Amino acid sequence: MYQRGARISRWFLQALLILLAVVYLIPVYLTLITSLKAPADINLMTAWKPPAHPYWASYATAVSKFASSLKNSVVLAISATILSAALGSINGYVLCKWEFPGARLVLPLVVFGMFIPYQSILVPLFQFMRRIGLYGGLPGLVLVHVVYGLPITTLLFRSFYAEIPDELLGAAFIDGADFFGIYRWLVLPLSGPPFLVVAIWQFTQIWNEFLFAVTLARPAYQPITVALANLAGGQAVSWNLPMAGSVLAALPTVVVYVLLGRYFIRGLLAGALKG
Amino acid sequence: MRSRRDQIMAILVVLPSLALLAVFVYGFIAQTVYISLTDWGQGAALALKPEIHFVGAYNYRELFTGFLNVRFRQDLVNMVFFTVMFVAASLALGLFLATMLDQRIRGEAVFRTIFLFPMSLSFIVTGTIWRWLLQPRGGVNVLPSLVGLPPASFLWLSSRDQVLQFNWQTLPYFVVLGAALVLVAWGLWSAARRRFRAAALTGLPGLVLLAWALAGGATQLQTLPFQEPHGFNLALIGVVIAATWQMSGYTMALYLAGLRTIPDELREAARVDGASTLQVYRYVELPLLAPITWSAIIVLGHIALKIFDLVFAMAGPDNAPTSVPAILMFLTTFRGNELAKGASIAVILLVMVSLLIVPYLLASFRTGRA
Amino acid sequence: MRTSKWLAVLVVSVTLVACLGAAATSAPLSGKLEIFSWWAGDEGPALQALIELYEKQHPGVQVINSTVTGGAGVNAKAVLKTRMLGGEPPDTFQVHAGQELIGTWVVAGRMEDLSDLYAKEGWKSAFPEGLLKLLSTDRGIWSVPVNIHRSNVLWYVPDNLKKWGVKVPATWDEFLAIAPTLKAKGIVPLALGENWTASHLWESVALACLGKDKWEALWQGKLSWKSPEVVGAWKTFGKVLEYTNQDAPSLSWQQATDMVVKGQAAFNVMGDWAAGYMATTLKLQPGKDFGWAPAPGTSGVFMMLSDSFGLPVGAPHRENTLAWLRMLGSKEAQDTFNPLKGSISARVDSDLSKYNAYLQSAAKDWRTNAIVGSLVHGVVANERFMNDFATVMEIFLNSRNPEAAANAAQAIAIQAGIGR
């Protein structure tokens, strides 16, 4: 009796999950079929019908339209991710293992920086960027993303490094290692997983960011989000293009998630469960 | 063993980062606050050297009480409603999905990926996709016609219908009332824990405030000389759906991992004591998930309060029914050339986010010390 | 002796400088020219044609085409303003002629006066006087218009009107008389799109209710927004709105035009870029597949708007910009650009044979009609007013209360420095 009830509820559960998964995938379905329609075939009434003949030209056009902004995004996201992860790692190491007077006070002040709405620093920011001559290009955007990425990277590394027992460090001291020695030979070799988590997080954040991108980059250095928003928000939209563009813009981060998602979740939890 | 040299080295290593954050976060915030207290060039805001006069809280007063800033007030209301609904929906859906996936389901990894992948998208992508789905004469509205029913006609993003309306004039009264009740509750809580000094410090002012409010004192705090209805714009439902689609996978992942950390012995022990499956869930598992819920509220809440790109891509910057302060700041600054007013909106936004974040930061770093 | 010696030195140096100056202008230009605009998509080819013309005239100059589109033009403004605030102007940028330029950039001292250029090129007689008035302040002329669009145009499909048995309304009263009949047939009398198109409709209604002189008085601060005439305009606007489509805010202007083309709606008030959309994108024949008339009650008045380029103070390649502006004002450039863009030349001497049927009729009106400026497209009011006017429109759309809208408009006019 109990067994059968369990089996039925199991079937029911499985069916419900499949249904929900379908619902979650509806936007993907619609995006893909719309991106494969010729502009003339796009009709609100037949939005749900797949195209009779896939119209690959949407993607060819989208690729040529977005080539330069995709390149910008790649350069931006990769360099800013590497830099902010490296800085976050060394900061996390110091704030975790080399507490200096006032460090307890500094940490919440640092972490606060990751929650602020960027509107509240936007105008002074671009005036400052202009003054130091970094306004408009990719180096400036990289700097901005590195700085505003510091709070989260520092916090994540710090919570990872808290797991490294202090006794291990003590032993290293006895062996004569100094500040950098311990980092180089003890901490860094243990930092693989946190680097992966931080890199996934930062890469998606920077790749997906819009406000800085739209205000701080000259047209030639626009990242993909701005290019997509411009295309989709422009006049006379033929929807196959924004949809193909969405697929292109989404692809890198989706691939990262599907391949590395489990590390990412593990990393998120390290923070969340403690908090 | 730790040499002084190493200790100094450690400080030198973090110093550049701290200096950058001091400038980029606190320095710039201070500058924005300063701009918000001036008139910043008035009509000629874009001059190289604008004429600047200090005007005190004028911009803030205007935003909350000037009759032309009705859009700001509605945007603020939109933001609060959006935040509450989006966070609640994401938590509920995430918990539901996690609970189901926790039943050792077949193909769990596939489901997890499907529910989680929207989180990796940019809000711009999500907004673009959902704009297409929520076209009034297409998208989900024509779904019923696939099974022969007449198509729906809900104006997803542009409906002007409003529910849960209230009069802006009554807001100060309820704010005072709420504050008084919180203070009184805090006082009672302290008294119950025999912390009488703290109880007196919070409870007594609370009682005074409460008495004043109930006696009608607070009703005189009318900010507007006229009635002004605000409420929940139905047009926001579409934005809530899109945002929930994107972020519920995150709460699911958190809850799922939380459920997995609950030792099976605990569940077994409860079952042995005669608890039903539902009871185990209600009395064993849910309480253990509380800390996760809190951190999810913080993370989702601050995203919701700051929401900008999603609405920008979904409904455009000019669609008032779905507008939020972050967008209004953008328009006021870059289209209206009112830098000072834009800065004021940004500061108000920052204060709202801080109300959520600061208590959390204080609490979590205090327990960290313990 | 002494004085004459100094005089000689002065004369020599002046001639030297003059020669150098002449040499500088006659020598081939080099370096770069960055052109900032929001023209892309359908308008891209027209801009490209201009750039090609420029490159042919000045092969030594490398043109950088900086286009920012999207966000209903807000993105372009955000980028331009961050650059200008940062003190890094492009060599020249696209801006709506009139107060959108003057109220933002001229009052801030960020533009150079182009009076000399106008005098040297003889543009004061090449452009109509009404246009020059809108481009100038008492301190100078601030930009070179490349095109003229008309805001107050009513669009329809002649065959459909015949089928439904209605005539093109000459006044809004006539429109309101035929609208119920159309509505009863299940046809939307007037197609409307997103928020700014409501304001666009408003300016045609207001022009009809006020007439040319009072419309101008409104923007000179001589007519109060609370006056019965303006309140009356809001009232009429409210009545007209009753006959528009429910889903307007979610439609782009093209989709609103589509409703007319597909026979779902009878009329549409839109700027004459709609003609370009129907003729070029939808491949319809002007005059046959679609027809046009001045918006009801505005016959004989041409409500214009114009894209123009100016010379920002501190432009990195000033000479190249001046050459660009000189070219833009020429007959050749205007007649190259406008047939592609779907607009008409600002000059009164353009070669009409290059234009299609609609544009020819518009050009004829341009030369004979009274000229007034558009509100929504930046001619008569500064950006602050335009931005706040969206809020006024919001207040009206929510409350449908003409007095409330008029009061709010008066308040923003005072704040923006227009009203008294």
Side-chain angles (χ1 to χ4, degrees):
Chain A
M1 213 36 213
Y2 177 79
Q3 275 294 331
R4 222 182 64 184
R7 198 170 302 146
I8 288 171
S9 68
R10 189 140 293 253
W11 275 109
F12 175 72
L13 220 64
Q14 195 84 37
L16 193 63
L17 272 173
I18 289 174
L19 186 75
L20 277 167
V22 167
V23 170
Y24 266 73
L25 287 175
I26 279 178
V28 181
Y29 166 75
L30 223 54
T31 306
L32 289 178
I33 63 162
T34 311
S35 71
L36 287 175
K37 286 181 185 177
D41 296 337
I42 297 177
N43 181 332
L44 286 169
M45 292 310 289
T46 58
W48 295 87
K49 276 207 195 85
H53 308 285
Y55 179 76
W56 293 103
S58 314
Y59 282 90
T61 319
V63 165
S64 72
K65 260 191 169 24
F66 289 134
S68 73
S69 55
L70 278 169
K71 207 185 90 211
N72 289 337
S73 276
V74 169
V75 173
L76 170 69
I78 290 181
S79 45
T81 300
I82 292 173
L83 282 172
S84 64
L87 280 173
S89 163
I90 193 98
N91 290 342
Y93 166 60
V94 171
L95 288 176
C96 182
K97 300 298 182 197
W98 293 84
E99 285 201 352
F100 49 88
R104 293 273 175 189
L105 196 74
V106 163
L107 195 62
L109 285 175
V110 167
V111 174
F112 181 71
M114 78 194 213
F115 293 110
I116 59 167
Y118 293 129
Q119 272 84 357
S120 65
I121 47 94
L122 195 59
V123 173
L125 173 68
F126 67 66
Q127 284 178 325
F128 179 81
M129 296 303 286
R130 169 60 204 161
R131 217 168 298 144
I132 61 172
L134 282 179
Y135 172 82
L138 285 180
L141 263 188
V142 169
L143 173 71
V144 169
H145 280 296
V146 168
V147 173
Y148 292 108
L150 280 176
I152 179 85
T153 57
T154 303
L155 183 73
L156 283 174
F157 275 109
R158 184 183 173 273
S159 52
F160 272 105
Y161 292 155
E163 322 249 298
I164 301 176
D166 285 345
E167 294 78 45
L168 220 58
L169 267 75
F173 277 121
I174 292 166
D175 291 347
D178 63 355
F179 174 78
F180 283 114
I182 291 179
Y183 181 69
R184 173 67 189 83
W185 301 111
L186 182 73
V187 175
L188 209 52
L190 295 172
S191 299
F195 262 107
L196 198 56
V197 170
V198 167
I200 297 170
W201 176 259
Q202 280 298 88
F203 181 82
T204 28
Q205 287 297 305
I206 297 166
W207 184 275
N208 292 340
E209 202 276 340
F210 178 67
L211 184 62
F212 289 144
V214 79
T215 44
L216 288 175
R218 269 192 229 112
Y221 300 106
Q222 270 174 1
I224 182 75
T225 44
V226 180
L228 179 63
N230 288 350
L231 182 73
Q235 302 290 3
V237 177
S238 39
W239 275 91
N240 59 323
L241 267 192
M243 289 299 164
S246 295
V247 173
L248 291 182
L251 218 50
T253 49
V254 169
V255 167
V256 166
Y257 260 58
V258 171
L259 292 183
L260 305 172
R262 56 176 65 244
Y263 296 97
F264 180 70
I265 296 171
R266 220 177 280 163
L268 273 186
L269 293 168
L273 290 178
K274 272 194 207 116
Chain B
M1 41 194 239
R2 294 188 172 208
S3 73
R4 192 163 195 88
R5 211 181 60 105
D6 280 348
Q7 193 66 54
I8 291 171
M9 193 62 86
I11 294 179
L12 284 181
V13 160
V14 284
L15 215 53
S17 298
L18 296 184
L20 278 174
L21 284 173
V23 172
F24 276 67
V25 175
Y26 297 96
F28 290 170
I29 287 178
Q31 223 172 324
T32 303
V33 171
Y34 166 70
I35 296 174
S36 77
L37 299 175
T38 71
D39 63 356
W40 206 263
Q42 290 177 302
L46 290 154
L48 271 179
K49 290 206 165 42
E51 217 179 284
I52 294 163
H53 305 102
F54 187 79
V55 296
Y58 172 80
N59 291 312
Y60 295 96
R61 214 165 40 237
E62 269 296 296
L63 284 173
F64 282 102
T65 64
F67 93 111
L68 283 178
N69 291 300
V70 48
R71 170 152 176 198
F72 167 74
R73 295 188 281 273
Q74 181 57 43
D75 285 6
L76 209 58
V77 173
N78 284 350
M79 177 184 83
V80 171
F81 273 115
F82 171 74
T83 302
V84 170
M85 296 185 63
F86 159 65
V87 172
S90 295
L91 288 176
L93 197 56
L95 182 60
F96 180 65
L97 292 173
T99 309
M100 290 207 299
L101 283 183
D102 192 37
Q103 311 300 314
R104 319 251 168 241
I105 221 79
R106 206 172 303 153
E108 186 200 310
V110 176
F111 286 120
R112 219 176 37 211
T113 309
I114 290 175
F115 297 135
L116 192 64
F117 90 91
M119 196 194 156
S120 71
L121 302 181
S122 155
F123 271 131
I124 296 290
V125 170
T126 306
T128 307
I129 294 176
W130 279 89
R131 189 151 74 104
W132 176 236
L133 260 94
L134 299 181
Q135 292 280 313
R137 284 191 248 166
V140 294
N141 270 0
V142 296
L143 262 187
S145 65
L146 292 185
V147 289
L149 296 169
S153 62
F154 183 60
L155 300 174
W156 283 100
L157 297 170
S158 54
S159 163
R160 288 187 178 276
D161 293 333
Q162 215 172 48
V163 293
L164 302 175
Q165 276 191 338
F166 64 93
N167 180 1
W168 186 262
Q169 287 176 306
T170 60
L171 205 59
Y173 173 71
F174 285 110
V175 168
V176 171
L177 200 64
L181 288 174
V182 167
L183 283 174
V184 170
W186 196 338
L188 289 175
W189 182 77
S190 301
R193 301 194 157 208
R194 305 191 164 274
R195 286 197 221 132
F196 294 110
R197 227 171 72 92
L201 275 178
T202 53
L204 287 183
L207 280 176
V208 172
L209 210 57
L210 189 65
W212 180 64
L214 292 178
T219 47
Q220 280 160 23
L221 283 178
Q222 284 191 355
T223 50
L224 286 177
F226 47 88
Q227 294 207 350
E228 188 178 279
H230 289 284
F232 171 64
N233 284 338
L234 293 187
L236 278 172
I237 292 175
V239 187
V240 171
I241 292 177
T244 307
W245 175 76
Q246 172 148 9
M247 296 306 290
S248 53
Y250 167 75
T251 43
M252 174 209 73
L254 285 186
Y255 280 128
L256 189 57
L259 288 169
R260 294 281 153 84
T261 57
I262 298 172
D264 276 338
E265 298 84 66
L266 216 60
R267 295 192 179 107
E268 277 312 308
R271 272 195 206 108
V272 170
D273 289 348
S276 71
T277 314
L278 217 61
Q279 279 171 326
V280 172
Y281 186 64
R282 169 70 188 80
Y283 295 104
V284 178
E285 298 185 353
L286 278 191
L288 288 169
L289 294 178
I292 294 185
T293 307
W294 280 115
S295 67
I297 287 178
I298 298 298
V299 171
L300 296 178
H302 95 277
I303 291 176
L305 291 173
K306 298 195 297 194
I307 196 84
F308 171 76
D309 351 7
L310 181 66
V311 182
F312 196 93
M314 256 181 111
D318 271 322
N319 193 42
T322 56
S323 182
V324 288
I327 285 186
L328 189 63
M329 180 274 173
F330 198 71
L331 289 182
T332 311
T333 305
F334 293 121
R335 197 168 62 187
N337 299 337
E338 295 178 77
L339 269 76
K341 194 163 127 186
S344 312
I345 297 173
V347 171
I348 293 166
L349 198 57
L350 180 69
V351 169
M352 302 288 287
V353 172
S354 302
L355 285 177
L356 178 77
I357 298 303
V358 171
Y360 173 77
L361 283 182
L362 289 180
S364 60
F365 285 103
R366 193 180 297 158
T367 51
R369 192 184 308 174
Chain C
M1 254 337 259
R2 228 185 152 84
T3 346
S4 62
K5 195 177 147 195
W6 276 113
L7 205 67
V9 171
L10 194 71
V11 168
V12 168
S13 49
V14 165
T15 3
L16 207 71
V17 168
C19 287
L20 281 175
T25 45
S26 63
L29 295 170
S30 61
K32 295 175 178 175
L33 174 74
E34 188 189 359
I35 302 164
F36 186 96
S37 79
W38 61 79
W39 279 328
D42 295 349
E43 294 155 332
L47 177 62
Q48 201 50 45
L50 279 183
I51 292 174
E52 276 161 23
L53 192 62
Y54 184 84
E55 282 171 337
K56 212 163 67 192
Q57 290 177 2
H58 307 284
V61 179
Q62 185 199 347
V63 177
I64 303 165
N65 178 9
S66 295
T67 309
V68 178
T69 55
V74 187
N75 293 357
K77 286 192 169 158
V79 172
L80 179 64
K81 282 172 189 174
T82 50
R83 288 188 59 169
M84 294 288 274
L85 276 169
E88 194 194 68
D91 292 312
T92 184
F93 57 87
Q94 178 193 5
V95 63
H96 282 137
Q99 290 297 321
E100 184 172 321
L101 169 71
I102 292 165
T104 299
W105 302 113
V106 175
V107 295
R110 304 298 297 269
M111 302 305 290
E112 284 196 35
D113 176 18
L114 300 173
S115 298
D116 287 350
L117 185 67
Y118 270 74
K120 220 181 292 170
E121 301 291 320
W123 288 344
K124 288 197 169 164
S125 52
F127 297 126
E129 207 191 320
L131 172 65
L132 288 174
K133 216 165 64 188
L134 293 167
L135 297 176
S136 322
T137 65
D138 50 4
R139 291 186 5 251
I141 309 177
W142 303 103
S143 66
V144 179
V146 278
N147 66 356
I148 297 294
H149 274 298
R150 186 175 191 174
S151 162
N152 57 327
V153 190
L154 184 75
W155 306 97
Y156 55 88
V157 176
D159 287 348
N160 285 346
L161 294 196
K162 212 175 290 165
K163 195 168 72 193
W164 299 324
V166 293
K167 278 203 303 214
V168 179
T171 64
W172 284 111
D173 283 339
E174 283 184 37
F175 170 81
L176 292 170
I178 57 172
T181 340
L182 288 167
K183 204 173 177 180
K185 288 182 179 156
I187 297 148
V188 175
L190 189 68
L192 196 64
E194 59 197 301
N195 208 343
W196 70 264
T197 68
S199 299
H200 184 104
L201 173 63
W202 181 87
E203 71 181 13
S204 275
V205 174
L207 178 63
C209 294
L210 297 175
K212 171 186 178 282
D213 292 341
K214 283 187 177 159
W215 174 259
E216 283 173 348
L218 192 61
W219 303 109
Q220 290 156 357
K222 291 176 190 155
L223 178 69
S224 166
W225 282 83
K226 294 199 227 174
S227 63
E229 295 94 327
V230 185
V231 176
W234 281 104
K235 277 186 186 144
T236 309
F237 178 63
K239 283 185 211 153
V240 172
L241 275 189
E242 296 297 315
Y243 295 105
T244 57
N245 42 311
Q246 279 287 306
D247 60 349
S250 55
L251 303 186
S252 66
W253 68 263
Q254 290 96 334
Q255 287 172 309
T257 307
D258 286 343
M259 288 177 66
V260 175
V261 172
K262 288 179 185 159
Q264 296 162 341
F267 301 102
N268 176 221
V269 171
M270 187 35 61
D272 59 9
W273 44 90
Y277 171 66
M278 288 186 277
T280 312
T281 311
L282 302 182
K283 312 247 182 304
L284 301 176
Q285 201 183 335
K288 186 177 154 290
D289 299 329
F290 68 91
W292 60 90
T298 64
S299 155
V301 186
F302 193 113
M303 185 184 265
M304 59 79 64
L305 58 120
S306 164
D307 294 299
S308 69
F309 287 84
L311 176 58
V313 173
H317 309 93
R318 190 170 176 277
E319 288 305 319
N320 295 351
T321 309
L322 280 170
W324 166 255
L325 296 178
R326 203 173 299 129
M327 184 198 85
L328 288 186
S330 71
K331 191 175 158 188
E332 186 190 6
Q334 300 239 335
D335 284 344
T336 306
F337 175 82
N338 285 305
L340 291 170
K341 167 81 166 74
S343 45
I344 58 171
S345 165
R347 297 176 65 110
V348 289
D349 60 355
S350 65
D351 178 3
L352 289 187
S353 66
K354 293 184 172 172
Y355 295 82
N356 71 21
Y358 167 73
L359 293 172
Q360 286 178 4
S361 101
K364 212 174 81 212
D365 288 348
W366 174 242
R367 291 170 194 187
T368 53
N369 280 2
I371 295 175
V372 297
S374 148
L375 157 67
V376 183
H377 307 284
V379 184
V380 289
N382 59 30
E383 287 189 298
R384 171 146 187 204
F385 183 91
M386 284 158 64
N387 192 44
D388 287 346
F389 191 77
T391 308
V392 175
M393 187 51 72
E394 229 14 76
I395 290 173
F396 183 77
L397 292 177
N398 278 327
S399 69
R400 299 292 169 114
N401 181 340
E403 279 83 14
N407 285 341
Q410 175 68 15
I412 67 168
I414 288 168
Q415 281 190 353
I418 293 171
R420 295 282 164 272

